[in-house]
Amino acid sequence: MEATVSQAPTTQSDSQRDLLVVKHLKKYFPVRGGLLKRVVAQVKAVDDISFTIRKGETFGLVGESGCGKTTAGRTILRLIEPTAGQVFFEGKDIAKAKAGEMKRLRRDMQIIFQDPYSSLDPRMVIGESIAEGLVAHGIGTAREREQTVLRVLRDVGLHPEHARRYPHEFSGGQRQRIGIARALALRPKFIVCDEPVSALDVSIQSQVLNILRSLQRQYGLTYMFVAHNLSVVEHISDRVGVMYLGKMMELADREEMYSNPLHPYTKALMSAIPIPDPNLKRERIILKGDVPSPLRPPPGCVFHTRCPIAQKGLCDKEIPAFRNVGQTREHWIACHLVGDKEGN
């Protein structure tokens, strides 16, 4: 039995603040088989998610590896085409934009890739890599593009002479700064940060996060920050969404999410966060079993096969609606058994 996934209510003041609105977004990858290579199944990487991102905020998207976070980010930017749903950027439906309009929109929407090594062309000096977007969009003269490259290099803590070096001459942390500079060159309004610090040492992670926050204040940027490290997300995010097997399980502002998680899956993730105090202990919630395949997701609630409070006959048959259960502030959850207006 299908349940309707609720769309977040938007007041007039909220709609003016929303930079990005995602409605019922789906991305299925076809699986082909047989002699005629017909579609025999669908991998449901992103399966009907809805949320908004407000101007100037950092929206964190978390979950286990393979839950659909990165696919959601790339589908929002139309780096891969959505199967269904709508994505509105400043009121424009990205999914319906033609090639010319989409090219203009890409100036305002950029991405920082997870791997700082494979995301840079080893045959190009980094000055050329950073200026690539400026050339593609026909922005400025050669001299003006050079000045833009030097400016964004300074903004991310690198030196002008670095523009003439090749990627192999830099460390991982420096390469990720170059990736940030490349995304920044077009002066975008919105950046998808696809696990930008997961491949870096812990000491370097904090430097990159501080750079991202400083640039956000300087340029008025809006981030969608994709990560599986909940400590990092807590440090940088304003609101947090939790995904599992292509579905949005819970969504709330940072303080509410970390102080009062409601969904059993979110609680299990939170229990794994290390406490930097040997005298304090947190009760660890161990989920049983493995994450099901998105090729054959479980019926009903996709989390019911691992959920400690799942109810037979309900959770394994009906898809829970994604509904707001908060009293004083929004707190969205997709669960049949928890999340009434009292916060229970």
Side-chain angles (χ1 to χ4, degrees):
M1 181 177 177
E2 294 283 340
T4 302
V5 178
S6 303
Q7 173 60 34
T10 305
T11 64
Q12 182 67 20
S13 60
D14 285 340
S15 64
Q16 293 173 353
R17 289 188 300 154
D18 291 339
L19 183 71
L20 190 84
V21 178
V22 178
K23 294 183 177 181
H24 306 295
L25 184 65
K26 297 181 180 181
K27 179 57 188 178
Y28 298 169
F29 293 97
V31 177
R32 301 181 184 275
L35 292 175
L36 300 178
K37 298 298 180 182
R38 292 174 176 169
V39 176
V40 296
Q42 299 274 5
V43 176
K44 298 182 177 181
V46 177
D47 192 13
D48 203 353
I49 62 172
S50 300
F51 59 92
T52 62
I53 300 179
R54 298 163 187 158
K55 294 176 184 177
E57 81 167 347
T58 299
F59 181 87
L61 193 61
V62 301
E64 293 173 284
S65 296
C67 73
K69 309 182 298 295
T70 293
T71 302
R74 297 190 180 195
T75 305
I76 286 170
L77 297 180
R78 265 187 72 182
L79 296 179
I80 51 179
E81 293 293 326
T83 302
Q86 295 174 298
V87 179
F88 294 94
F89 180 79
E90 293 188 321
K92 300 181 183 72
D93 190 349
I94 296 173
K96 295 181 179 179
K98 303 297 183 182
E101 184 181 5
M102 195 64 226
K103 183 177 180 179
R104 290 191 295 272
L105 286 170
R106 292 200 187 281
R107 291 183 59 175
D108 292 328
M109 301 184 299
Q110 291 292 305
I111 184 170
I112 301 169
F113 293 100
Q114 176 180 357
D115 188 352
Y117 294 91
S118 63
S119 62
L120 294 173
D121 189 335
R123 298 166 298 179
M124 297 173 65
V125 295
I126 66 159
E128 293 178 355
S129 292
I130 294 171
E132 212 171 6
L134 299 170
V135 174
H137 288 275
I139 299 174
T141 63
R143 177 60 179 168
E144 289 170 341
R145 290 194 287 268
E146 182 183 356
Q147 291 301 314
T148 298
V149 169
L150 298 180
R151 173 177 54 79
V152 294
L153 282 175
R154 287 193 296 269
D155 287 342
V156 299
L158 296 176
H159 301 293
E161 58 268 23
H162 289 154
R164 296 185 295 274
R165 297 182 185 177
Y166 288 89
H168 72 269
E169 300 180 69
F170 296 92
S171 66
Q174 287 174 320
R175 290 191 194 196
Q176 196 59 287
R177 293 182 188 215
I178 295 166
I180 295 171
R182 186 172 56 178
L184 201 63
L186 289 170
R187 296 295 295 268
K189 299 175 182 177
F190 174 64
I191 299 178
V192 172
C193 305
D194 183 14
E195 303 204 35
V197 297
S198 62
L200 307 178
D201 293 337
V202 175
S203 59
I204 305 300
Q205 286 183 13
S206 60
Q207 295 177 19
V208 173
L209 290 174
N210 289 335
I211 288 172
L212 288 172
R213 297 188 73 170
S214 175
L215 293 173
Q216 185 174 36
R217 292 189 296 266
Q218 182 178 349
Y219 290 103
L221 296 171
T222 301
Y223 294 142
M224 176 176 165
F225 194 92
V226 176
H228 60 264
N229 187 326
L230 274 77
S231 298
V232 170
V233 171
E234 183 181 16
H235 174 72
I236 198 170
S237 299
D238 298 299
R239 288 188 303 142
V240 180
V242 179
M243 284 187 69
Y244 179 82
L245 212 63
K247 296 277 192 181
M248 191 74 79
M249 297 284 103
E250 191 167 359
L251 192 159
D253 68 53
R254 178 188 59 199
E255 293 180 3
E256 176 72 9
M257 181 70 79
Y258 282 82
S259 64
N260 183 34
L262 298 179
H263 199 282
Y265 177 60
T266 309
K267 290 181 178 180
L269 292 180
M270 296 293 183
S271 73
I273 300 176
I275 301 176
D277 187 338
N279 297 318
L280 295 178
K281 292 185 178 181
R282 178 185 283 128
E283 183 180 354
R284 182 76 168 88
I285 300 174
I286 307 295
L287 295 177
K288 298 180 180 179
D290 297 322
V291 180
S293 170
L295 186 62
R296 288 178 293 275
C301 175
V302 291
F303 184 62
H304 84 265
T305 57
R306 305 174 73 197
C307 182
I309 63 171
Q311 189 176 104
K312 192 174 181 180
L314 174 63
C315 299
D316 57 350
K317 295 186 180 300
E318 297 185 18
I319 299 174
F322 192 53
R323 67 196 197 281
N324 181 21
V325 299
Q327 283 185 312
T328 58
R329 48 189 172 182
E330 289 188 359
H331 194 144
W332 293 77
I333 186 172
C335 184
H336 293 297
L337 304 177
V338 298
D340 58 34
K341 287 290 183 179
E342 301 302 320
N344 299 318

